[in-house]
């Protein structure tokens, strides 16, 4: 057996005795699982499971019992913690076999098989709340102490080949045997148990169209065996690699990055609109050498039609992608749109026919018939999901399927599951039950919310508020660093991975931070292009950016200051709306725009002539835009009054000049915060509600105006000012 890391070329050998030997047996299982999951060539996100049978003291009897610790339902091997492992009394688990055998009708896909999943809970050891997965019987019914079940590219390539049985024996000889595809469950466990009874020396099994399962009596040997078997398959495939002839050779060429992005920026909003007719989707573009080699090839259309390789993938990738046979060198963008339109219509019709032909009397209703993976020569792979993380995983799954097809076509001929088997996985009642148990989606799930001014003050508070509702938040600000900082705060709370301007977009998660100067159209265009490449489109735009230029000591405001005030508070807001409009129209999906104006728009005040008139113009801009963007986009205004706390509009000098103006007594030695509190208190006393207005108060209304709760309101200005009767709109 190979044991040193140098002996593995196609998998990463990560076992470290110095780490493992410090751990208890359950933690060693967690450790083994994490290092297996860390290599995508060993198993895909969410795929595969591991187990150890561990001797433990029974809390009820004080006696030593055998406990099966097995990776439970949900989660991922790479990131699993102890909490992701279910624990079952072995003797109780094994007693379930007699219950199963007593059923009149048994076998794969029978009612008794599905109902066994609920029985596992009765065998729980140690009040462990982790839910057992459908793969539990594979681990429980095979007698060996340590078991790894993985979805390695190289082994699935064998398992998804026309002559998978012959290849299994050729590659693994006597060590590993082959069993045909069967939907995982209790019966599959019994099939494996029976095979082992007849051939006790077997070290593992290749499961047709699915993956690998292998075992050993200690954990390190099991880990090393897993790697050895995967390495063996990968080396066999490497010897047969077709090089330039892979996928029948190249039919089209890739576009350079600039031309590709130019097309994607035009294409993605249109495409997002078309796939989002039932539910909105968030996009991920996946462009690698390998993906391009596939989409540009002669065989791409034929292979795409066969469908995805791993049954784990169906819920995300659907049974097959949409391939658009467009020539990037010879055909126009309009031709691409036409082909996409027809491709989508054909895809939906085909999906509906598949559903109708394969459904059972008790099948769940047909799900969204739109494709989640779209392949376009020259451009790459575009994946769609309910959020960024899901569309990234979908892209990852299909790119793994491409690797499986590459290998499978090198050694044999790639084949998919039959449509009925694929359907019975995609519409499995157990999966449906899982989907039904998921919490309802939040208000801004599936939405991209752009907050301009998110680096500080109301914008930052608003970014946090909408993120809480499940939004993908684009934090934009003139101060790019501040915008990125807000985005990072959101990523720290809501998810991993952050994308920033100019870096690879594959890294972006639930929030991105971008710099923008709204007084320059090119800057606003560049911002929206980045957003489209990151998420596929936009839904809601909230502008909180604004400027207050104080007059000089004589109360005078210069011409340049007047220009700048209008450039930001009025024209900038218009440019944002005007550029967003192009995307909203291309998507043809409902959206919303919120502009931040001010109560000063309605109240003439000494000393803020330019600011007040610009805000009055902004109020009317809201109304004009509401007309112009109807019926697709609602436009409303948020009119704050004097939010002193945490506002970039209130530096120390302004606070002091205001306190002086209102004759509020103060001491120059007091801190800025203390002075701000004084001013806030003074302002609060002027209001009808006698309360200070906070950033959170503003953020709440910015969120509400954008949300479906205000779906029948457009062209309105809502004051959030604590109640200032002089600012009442008439
Ligand atoms: Zn599996």
């Amino acid at each position: 057996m190979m044991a040193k890391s140098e002996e593995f070329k196609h998998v990463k050998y990560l076992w470290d005795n110095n780490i493992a030997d410090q751990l208890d047996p359950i933690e060693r299982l967690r450790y083994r699982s994490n290092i297996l999951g860390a290599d995508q060539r060993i198993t895909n996100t969410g795929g595969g499971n591991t187990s150890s049978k561990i001797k433990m003291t029974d809390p009820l009897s004080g006696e030593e019992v055998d406990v099966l610790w097995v990776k439970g339902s949900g989660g991922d091997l790479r990131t699993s913690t102890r909490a992701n492992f279910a624990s079952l009394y072995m003797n109780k688990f094994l007693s379930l076999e007699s219950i199963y055998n007593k059923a009149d009708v048994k076998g794969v896909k029978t009612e008794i098989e599905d109902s066994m999943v609920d029985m596992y809970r009765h065998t729980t050891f140690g009040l462990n709340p982790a839910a057992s997965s459908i793969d539990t019987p594979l681990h429980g019914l095979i007698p060996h102490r340590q078991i790894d079940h993985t979805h390695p590219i190289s082994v699935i390539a064998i398992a998804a080949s026309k002559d998978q049985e012959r290849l299994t024996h050729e590659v693994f000889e006597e060590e590993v045997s082959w069993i045909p595809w069967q939907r995982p469950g209790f019966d599959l466990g019994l099939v494996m148990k029976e095979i082992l009874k007849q051939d006790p020396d077997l070290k593992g099994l290749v499961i047709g169209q699915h993956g690998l399962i292998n075992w050993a009596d200690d954990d390190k040997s099991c880990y090393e065996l897993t790697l050895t078997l995967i390495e063996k398959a990968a080396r066999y495939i490497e010897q047969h690699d077709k090089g330039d002839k892979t996928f029948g050779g190249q039919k089209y060429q890739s576009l350079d990055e600039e031309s590709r992005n130019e097309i994607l920026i035009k294409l993605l909003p249109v495409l997002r609109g078309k796939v989002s007719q039932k539910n909105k989707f968030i996009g991920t573009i996946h462009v690698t050498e390998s993906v391009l080699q596939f989409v540009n090839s002669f065989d791409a259309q034929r292979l795409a039609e066969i469908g995805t390789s791993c049954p784990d993938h169906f819920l995300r990738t659907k049974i097959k992608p949409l391939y658009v046979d467009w020539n990037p060198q010879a055909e126009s963008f309009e031709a691409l749109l036409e082909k996409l339109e027809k491709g989508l219509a054909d895809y939906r019709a085909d999906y509906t026919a598949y559903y109708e032909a394969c459904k059972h009397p008790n099948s769940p209703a047909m799900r969204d018939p739109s494709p989640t993976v779209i392949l376009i020569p020259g451009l790459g792979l575009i994946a769609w999901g309910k959020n960024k993380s899901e569309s990234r995983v979908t892209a990852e799954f299909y790119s793994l399927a491409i690797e499986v097809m590459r290998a499978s076509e090198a050694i044999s001929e790639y084949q998919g599951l039959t449509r009925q088997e694929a359907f019975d996985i995609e519409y499995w009642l157990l999966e449906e039950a899982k989907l039904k148990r998921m919490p309802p989606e939040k208000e801004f799930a599936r939405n991209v919310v752009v907050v301009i001014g998110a680096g500080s003050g109301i914008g930052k508070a608003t970014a946090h508020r909408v993120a809480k509702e499940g939004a993908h938040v684009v934090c934009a600000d003139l101060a790019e660093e501040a915008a990125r900082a807000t985005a990072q705060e959101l990523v720290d709370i809501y998810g991993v991975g952050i994308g920033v301007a100019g870096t690879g977009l594959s890294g972006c998660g639930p929030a991105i931070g971008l710099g923008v100067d709204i007084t320059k159209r090119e800057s606003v265009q560049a911002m929206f292009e980045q957003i489209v490449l990151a998420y596929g489109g936009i839904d809601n735009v909230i502008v909180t950016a604004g400027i207050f230029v104080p007059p000089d000591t004589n109360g005078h405001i210069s011409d340049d200051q007047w220009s700048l005030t209008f450039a930001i508070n009025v024209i900038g807001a218009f440019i944002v709306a005007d550029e967003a409009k192009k995307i909203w129209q291309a998507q043809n999906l409902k959206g919303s725009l919120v502009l931040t104006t001010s109560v000063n728009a309605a109240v003439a005040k000494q000393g803020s002539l330019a600011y007040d008139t610009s805000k009055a113009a902004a109020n009317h801009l809201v109304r004009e835009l509401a007309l112009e963007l109807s019926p697709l986009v609602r436009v409303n205004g948020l009119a704050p009054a004097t939010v002193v706390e945490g506002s970039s509009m209130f530096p120390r000098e302004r606070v002091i000049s205001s306190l002086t103006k209102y004759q509020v007594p103060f001491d120059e030695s007091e801190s800025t915060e203390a002075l701000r509190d004084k001013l806030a208190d003074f302002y609060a006393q002027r209001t009808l509600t006698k309360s200070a207005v906070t950033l959170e108060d503003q953020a709440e209304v910015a969120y509400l105006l954008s949300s479906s709760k205000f779906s029948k309101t457009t062209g309105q200005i809502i004051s959030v000012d604590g109640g200032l009767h002089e600012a009442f709109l008439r």
Side-chain angles (χ1 to χ4, degrees):
M1 171 165 305
M2 294 184 278
K4 290 192 220 79
S5 55
E6 309 85 66
E7 290 172 66
F8 295 98
K9 207 170 116 192
H10 299 276
V11 279
K12 253 185 274 162
Y13 183 93
L14 295 171
W15 187 279
D16 183 346
N17 277 339
N18 293 325
I19 298 173
D21 293 349
Q22 308 282 324
L23 306 171
D24 71 26
I26 304 163
E27 278 297 309
R28 283 174 74 100
L29 172 63
R30 192 268 311 149
Y31 171 67
R32 179 172 114 222
S33 310
N34 292 166
I35 59 177
L36 284 169
D39 189 340
Q40 281 209 339
R41 296 165 299 183
I42 294 174
T43 208
N44 52 291
T45 302
N49 31 63
T50 46
S51 68
S52 294
K53 298 181 182 81
I54 300 171
K55 295 233 180 285
M56 301 187 82
T57 306
D58 185 353
L60 297 175
S61 66
E63 282 165 21
E64 190 176 72
V65 287
D66 234 354
V67 179
L68 170 67
W69 284 84
V70 57
K71 161 78 176 33
S73 189
D76 184 44
L77 282 183
R78 183 176 63 85
T79 53
S80 278
T81 62
R82 199 173 175 124
N84 292 103
F85 291 86
S87 51
L88 301 82
Y89 283 98
M90 268 307 285
N91 59 348
K92 290 188 189 179
F93 174 78
L94 291 173
S95 72
L96 295 178
E97 196 178 334
S98 67
I99 291 179
Y100 180 78
N101 284 331
K102 273 184 211 140
D104 293 334
V105 187
K106 53 181 179 272
V108 64
K109 297 185 200 167
T110 55
E111 219 170 282
I112 182 75
E113 195 186 46
D114 277 7
S115 70
M116 293 306 280
V117 176
D118 280 339
M119 300 297 290
Y120 303 151
R121 272 189 288 164
H122 293 288
T123 72
T124 301
F125 172 88
L127 306 175
N128 182 350
S132 299
S133 86
I134 49 168
D135 284 342
T136 304
L138 278 53
H139 296 266
L141 294 170
I142 291 172
H144 294 273
R145 311 283 305 173
Q146 309 289 340
I147 299 175
D148 288 344
H149 164 53
T150 52
H151 297 162
I153 293 168
S154 61
V155 179
I156 297 180
I158 293 171
S161 289
K162 275 239 157 88
D163 42 355
Q164 43 188 274
E165 187 174 7
R166 180 188 66 75
L167 282 167
T168 301
H169 294 301
E170 189 175 329
V171 175
F172 300 112
E173 296 170 340
E174 300 303 304
E175 262 183 336
V176 173
S177 193
W178 170 87
I179 53 169
W181 158 258
Q182 174 175 333
R183 195 171 76 176
F186 206 81
D187 200 72
L188 183 59
L190 291 173
V191 167
M192 291 179 176
K193 182 185 167 187
E194 191 52 37
I195 288 182
L196 256 153
K197 214 188 259 174
Q198 284 163 25
D199 192 352
D201 293 336
L202 273 182
K203 290 179 175 172
L205 288 166
V206 168
I207 315 165
Q209 305 296 138
H210 182 168
L212 175 67
I213 187 163
N214 52 268
W215 45 82
D217 288 325
D218 75 86
D219 53 4
K220 187 179 175 187
S221 309
C222 188
Y223 173 78
E224 289 181 344
L225 175 65
T226 302
L227 263 60
T228 305
L229 296 175
I230 297 170
E231 176 77 20
K232 216 176 236 184
R235 288 189 183 202
Y236 179 87
I237 289 159
E238 192 181 31
Q239 284 160 16
H240 293 79
D241 187 75
K242 288 189 165 166
D244 290 349
K245 297 270 183 327
T246 298
F247 304 132
Q250 298 290 282
K251 184 178 175 186
Y252 303 117
Q253 279 131 45
S254 297
L255 295 166
D256 62 65
E257 196 181 341
E258 206 186 319
S259 337
R260 187 173 68 224
N261 283 347
E262 207 174 291
I263 293 174
L264 286 170
I265 286 159
K266 278 193 288 178
L267 176 68
L268 287 165
V270 180
L271 194 49
R272 178 168 187 247
K274 289 188 191 301
V275 298
S276 299
Q277 289 308 316
K278 204 166 169 188
N279 292 303
K280 277 183 183 174
F281 280 116
I282 303 297
T284 288
I285 308 156
H286 195 58
V287 190
T288 61
E289 279 306 311
S290 168
V291 165
L292 287 170
Q293 189 189 23
F294 181 73
V295 297
N296 293 340
S297 74
F298 282 99
D299 290 344
Q301 186 147 31
R302 170 181 68 85
L303 290 169
E305 196 56 33
I306 299 174
T308 311
S309 57
C310 189
D312 262 30
H313 299 180
F314 289 145
L315 282 176
R316 285 198 170 99
T317 62
K318 290 247 152 74
I319 55 163
K320 63 172 185 181
L322 166 62
Y323 173 81
V324 185
D325 190 7
W326 174 69
N327 184 338
Q329 276 72 42
E331 289 183 279
S332 66
F333 180 72
E334 286 64 35
L336 172 58
L337 288 185
E338 245 169 66
K339 286 188 168 182
L340 258 169
E341 187 82 45
K342 184 176 182 309
L344 285 167
D346 291 349
Y347 187 98
R348 290 186 185 119
D350 189 41
Y351 187 86
T352 308
Y354 149 78
Y355 177 83
E356 290 300 329
C358 299
K359 72 174 178 193
H360 304 286
N362 59 349
S363 289
M366 189 176 86
R367 303 202 183 105
D368 194 333
S370 293
T372 54
V373 176
I374 297 174
L375 306 169
I376 307 174
L379 299 178
L381 181 166
I382 303 162
W384 299 98
K386 66 176 180 184
N387 54 41
K388 185 66 190 176
S389 149
E390 188 149 312
S391 70
R392 281 168 68 179
V393 172
T394 300
E396 175 207 314
F397 279 3
Y398 201 76
S399 62
L400 293 176
I402 290 174
E403 295 313 310
V404 166
M405 289 185 276
R406 169 198 311 284
S408 188
E409 290 276 306
I411 54 177
S412 172
E413 205 177 308
Y414 176 68
Q415 77 170 24
L417 277 177
T418 64
R419 284 197 146 197
Q420 188 64 58
E421 285 298 324
F423 180 89
D424 291 344
I425 290 277
E426 191 180 350
Y427 284 90
W428 197 348
L429 291 171
L430 289 177
E431 290 293 346
E432 178 72 4
K434 243 191 259 172
L435 293 176
K436 285 219 173 98
R437 279 198 300 268
M438 298 214 309
E441 289 189 351
K442 292 183 177 162
E443 172 67 27
F444 278 151
R446 301 172 179 273
N447 279 29
V448 178
V449 182
V450 184
V451 182
I452 298 177
S456 61
I458 296 175
K460 187 176 169 126
T462 300
H464 276 272
R465 184 64 188 88
V466 295
K468 219 185 211 172
E469 299 301 324
H472 298 79
V473 191
V474 178
C475 303
D477 204 295
L478 182 63
E480 188 173 336
E481 279 306 312
R484 288 193 201 187
T486 303
Q488 187 61 57
E489 287 169 17
L490 300 182
V491 169
D492 290 344
I493 302 170
Y494 300 102
V496 287
I498 181 168
V500 288
T503 66
L505 291 158
S506 60
C508 87
I512 56 173
L514 299 171
V516 66
D517 178 351
I518 59 171
T519 66
K520 297 195 171 65
R521 191 174 280 270
E522 319 83 76
S523 174
V524 174
Q525 279 168 345
M527 174 192 72
F528 279 120
E529 287 173 3
Q530 291 281 328
I531 298 169
V532 164
L533 290 173
Y535 294 121
I538 58 167
D539 298 288
N540 313 284
V541 177
I542 301 170
V543 184
T544 65
I547 190 169
F548 173 84
V549 182
D552 66 18
T553 43
N554 300 320
H556 184 254
I557 297 169
S558 74
D559 294 355
D560 285 350
Q561 287 173 327
W562 269 92
S563 297
L564 181 66
T565 302
F566 271 72
I568 294 175
N569 294 353
V570 186
I571 306 171
F574 170 73
I575 292 174
V576 169
D578 199 41
E579 288 300 322
K581 177 183 168 186
K582 296 174 190 167
I583 301 173
W584 277 318
Q585 287 182 337
Q587 292 180 149
N588 196 28
L589 299 171
K590 294 266 182 201
S592 75
L593 172 65
V594 172
L595 301 183
T596 307
T597 69
S598 169
V599 291
N600 287 25
V603 190
K605 278 200 331 196
Q606 212 115 49
S608 50
L609 189 55
Y611 181 78
D612 296 357
T613 48
S614 76
K615 291 299 184 178
N619 267 8
H620 207 56
L621 181 62
V622 166
R623 301 174 188 117
E624 297 282 353
L625 288 172
L627 292 183
E628 189 173 314
L629 298 178
S630 112
L632 214 49
V633 179
R634 294 182 300 108
V635 186
N636 291 291
L638 163 69
T642 47
V643 181
V644 181
E645 162 234 352
S647 170
S648 57
M649 298 259 217
F650 281 88
R652 187 175 176 90
E653 314 82 75
R654 187 176 174 202
V655 175
I656 287 173
S657 94
S658 297
L659 288 170
T660 313
K661 184 166 83 180
Y662 299 121
Q663 298 172 335
V664 180
F666 68 95
D667 193 324
E668 282 276 8
S669 68
E670 288 180 83
S671 73
T672 307
E673 268 323 300
L675 294 175
R676 275 192 185 141
D677 285 349
K678 253 182 195 154
L679 186 60
D681 192 50
F682 170 77
Y683 284 140
Q685 293 313 313
R686 292 194 312 186
T687 68
L688 296 174
T689 61
K690 306 288 178 211
S691 48
V693 186
T694 66
L695 293 173
E696 284 66 35
D697 295 331
Q698 306 299 336
E700 190 64 23
V701 175
Y703 149 65
L704 285 170
L705 285 172
S706 308
S707 76
S708 65
K709 299 181 198 307
F710 272 70
S711 65
K712 306 294 161 59
T713 299
T714 188
Q716 300 304 309
I717 317 290
I718 305 292
S719 297
V720 182
D721 55 6
L724 293 171
H725 68 85
E726 61 274 36
F728 288 171
L729 287 180
R730 284 163 281 257

